[in-house]
Structure formats: C-alpha cells, structure tokens
Amino acid sequence: VKNVVTGGGRTGGQPTHDAGYLKRAEGLDIGSLAGTLVDSGGGAVLGAIAVGVGVQQIAFDANLAAGPPAGTSAADMVTDYVPGFKFKLLAIDFVTSIAGTGSSASQLFNLAIGSVDVTLGVCTVTLASTNAVGELTAGAAITGAQEGSATDAISIEMAASGTAFTAGAGTFIVTIQNMDVADAFAALVAGSALVADETNARVLKIEQTVDTAGNIVFPIPRDYDEATDELRLRVLVSQLTLSTDDDVKLDVELYRKRAAVALSADLAPSFTADSAVPVLTVAEQWIEFDLSSLTFLRDDVAIIELITNGGNDTAGEEVLIHAIELVYRSTLVSYDDEDDAQSNSLR
C-alpha cells in the first residue's frame, strides 16, 4: 500500500490525481533562472557572479628610500616579470609596511606591458598615504583592454620627478586576471544562455555547434517502486529558425549513481512516443523520455545530461528550451478496514 507520494519527503511539489496515478512533477522554470555569468571580456552575458574568474593578486616588495625606486629619477621597481599566461591588468595598489618620511614625499608608479606603459591605473604614493603601517594607497582604476599574452612581461615603473622619500617601504599588489582561465570558463557557458523569446518569455538557448545544455540531478524518491512506478523527463523545445538540413534533435544521456557503487554507463533512456526522437521545428513541442525500467532503486541519484544530436551545426539551428519537467508517477492504492461485498479491502 502506497501512501501519498511526496517525492522522498522533499518540499515544493504537490501530488495530484492523474488518470489513476499519483503524480509529482518537478518543474524547472527557465525564466526564473537568475543571470549569473559574464563573458571573459567582462561584458554581461548572464549576470555578474563570474566577474572574478581567474582574478588573482601578485605582491612585490618595495623600499621607497633605498635602491630602486629611490630618488626622483625614472626607475623600474620590477622589470619584465612574466606571469606565464594570457592576462589582463586590473589594478595596482600599495600597502605600507614601514611608514614613509620625507618632506612632501610623493612618487608616481605605473604598470607596463613589455615596453608599453599602461597609462591608466596610476598609483601615486605620498607621505600622507604612507603615514601608518598597513595603510592602503589605491591606484586609479584601470580601464580598457590592458592585456598581454602568455609570453608578455609586466613591469612596475616609477615616473621621473616627484619628491623623494627618506624612509618608507611596502608592497605593491598587482591585481591580474588569468584570461586563459576566464576564456575557458566563458567557453563552458557560451553555448547555453538565457535569451528573450516572444517578448516576455525567457528560454535556454543552445548555440550552433554546441551539443550540451547542462545536467539535471534528481534523487529517486524513497517510496519509488521500480516494478510499477514511472519516471519521465519532459522538455518543451523548438528550433530558432527552419533547419537547412532538417536533422536537429534533442537527446539525453542518463547515468545512475548509487551509494557505494561506481557511476553507471549511459543508460540510454528511450523516447516515449516513437522509436525515433522527432526532428525539431520552429513550433514548440513536448519531447518526453522514459526513465522507468532502467534499474533505478529508491535513494539512487539520476544524473541527466540534456544534449542535442549534433545536428545544430549551422546558423539558425540553435535549440530553444522553453521548459523542463521531471514527472514521478506512482500507482494509487487505498486500503479500507471495512471489506466490501467481495471481501476486498484493497481498492
């Protein structure tokens, strides 16, 4: 006898009667997915959570009164440091470790990529900004494309003139972004982005030549009966424009994770309505995959990778995902203490 199905005790879904079944549907609201990613150039693609990808700080000690960059002649504090990756310079700041002295002391520092000065983001270290240990002298904002390759070197230069320090030391902190990391991260998300559709709708767009939309992780409910219950994945999907070769399809890979057991191979769920998944068109259609009868047990975890068949290989064949629904159906059985005329307490 199966009680009301709640999907393993999790909240958020309500069971309803559905043609002899108790049904619990897990719906993913595409439009409610908050934008969270940016491209490697810092421009907004899906929001702002990834602006720090690959960002790091490099520290260089400096004695303001002895050795480079002592005095008021132009000098390098750091010469030809090679980070070893494609990079973007973001900021240069100075933190005082020995308080500065010297009447009206003031010196100006800038970054350089190779032999080319970075004219933006100058850090002006003064007597007032170094009068206490730990004080931060913030450089001006670096704007524009201040980028270098994996073989380019950076230097910290002191401009000529200024007023010399008689004492003082600290650390220059150069904020730099590893663009190899940022670009790789951007490539992971460039294929799937939220875009506007029909004015007010938001859909997940899979770009041409990209065949992966993402993963769905679904714990199998604790009252799941592998002999009778059903698990289905439903996707409302369309194609951006008419296909030139009429071959774009949606597909899934399905993996099972069980406690203390290695991840399974692809279980290859079947398409429920036909032996072949239909070709996508500009008109939206529900495509349903049957996840039942694939040796899932209660407390297993289903890992679903939503993919295309690779047919979206030219412009206009981008795939639009409008909605995703996971459906868990359980046979409805009730028990009556008072037997009916046929002495059958199960109904």
Side-chain angles (χ1 to χ4, degrees):
V1 178
K2 190 177 296 295
N3 292 322
V4 173
V5 177
T6 59
R10 294 180 299 147
T11 60
Q14 296 298 325
T16 58
H17 292 281
D18 180 27
Y21 292 96
L22 282 178
K23 174 182 177 182
R24 184 175 191 273
E26 296 277 355
L28 174 60
D29 180 5
I30 298 296
S32 69
L33 293 177
T36 56
L37 303 173
V38 300
D39 63 20
S40 63
V45 172
L46 296 180
I49 198 172
V51 292
V53 171
V55 174
Q56 56 192 278
Q57 283 78 37
I58 304 174
F60 301 96
D61 292 335
N63 188 329
L64 298 177
T72 58
S73 299
D76 282 355
M77 184 269 175
V78 174
T79 302
D80 292 339
Y81 173 81
V82 180
F85 48 79
K86 179 184 175 183
F87 63 86
K88 177 191 290 185
L89 296 176
L90 301 179
I92 178 172
D93 303 306
F94 182 80
V95 178
T96 302
S97 59
I98 298 176
T101 61
S103 178
S104 301
S106 176
Q107 292 180 328
L108 185 150
F109 299 88
N110 66 273
L111 291 164
I113 300 175
S115 60
V116 179
D117 289 349
V118 176
T119 56
L120 302 172
V122 171
C123 184
T124 303
V125 180
T126 67
L127 181 65
S129 72
T130 59
N131 62 6
V133 173
E135 190 161 0
L136 172 68
T137 303
I142 294 179
T143 59
Q146 308 295 345
E147 298 185 8
S149 71
T151 58
D152 282 337
I154 60 175
S155 301
I156 299 177
E157 301 174 337
M158 187 189 80
S161 70
T163 303
F165 282 84
T166 57
T171 301
F172 283 100
I173 299 176
V174 176
T175 303
I176 188 171
Q177 185 172 24
N178 185 327
M179 298 306 295
D180 289 335
V181 173
D183 289 346
F185 184 86
L188 291 176
V189 300
S192 301
L194 289 180
V195 297
D197 184 61
E198 296 180 315
T199 305
N200 294 317
R202 292 294 182 270
V203 298
L204 189 65
K205 180 181 179 182
I206 307 176
E207 297 287 354
Q208 66 184 81
T209 73
V210 176
D211 59 9
T212 301
N215 293 333
I216 303 168
V217 179
F218 179 67
I220 304 301
R222 290 195 296 271
D223 54 2
Y224 177 70
D225 185 342
E226 64 275 11
T228 60
D229 293 352
E230 294 185 11
L231 288 173
R232 298 184 185 274
L233 172 69
R234 304 179 71 237
V235 183
L236 184 62
V237 63
S238 65
Q239 187 173 294
L240 184 62
T241 61
L242 289 175
S243 175
T244 56
D245 44 13
D246 201 32
D247 64 348
V248 182
K249 297 182 180 182
L250 192 69
D251 199 359
V252 297
E253 293 179 355
L254 176 65
Y255 303 90
R256 181 191 62 248
K257 181 59 183 176
R258 183 172 296 164
V261 178
L263 186 70
S264 73
D266 179 15
L267 300 177
S270 62
F271 176 63
T272 56
D274 195 270
S275 59
V277 179
V279 172
L280 300 185
T281 68
V282 294
E284 299 86 355
Q285 57 184 311
W286 280 102
I287 294 181
E288 186 171 304
F289 296 91
D290 188 0
L291 312 185
S292 310
S293 305
L294 292 174
T295 67
F296 279 108
L297 302 176
R298 65 198 68 183
D299 286 333
D300 284 349
V301 177
I303 302 173
I304 305 165
E305 185 171 1
L306 196 59
I307 61 176
T308 73
N309 66 340
N312 54 321
D313 52 7
T314 57
E317 294 183 333
E318 294 86 346
V319 175
L320 304 181
I321 297 177
H322 302 261
I324 300 173
E325 183 184 34
L326 275 168
V327 179
Y328 167 37
R329 290 177 175 175
S330 175
T331 303
L332 178 61
V333 180
S334 64
Y335 181 83
D336 191 345
D337 288 334
E338 297 181 4
D339 293 347
D340 59 17
Q342 287 75 37
S343 298
N344 181 13
S345 56
L346 289 179
R347 302 177 188 274

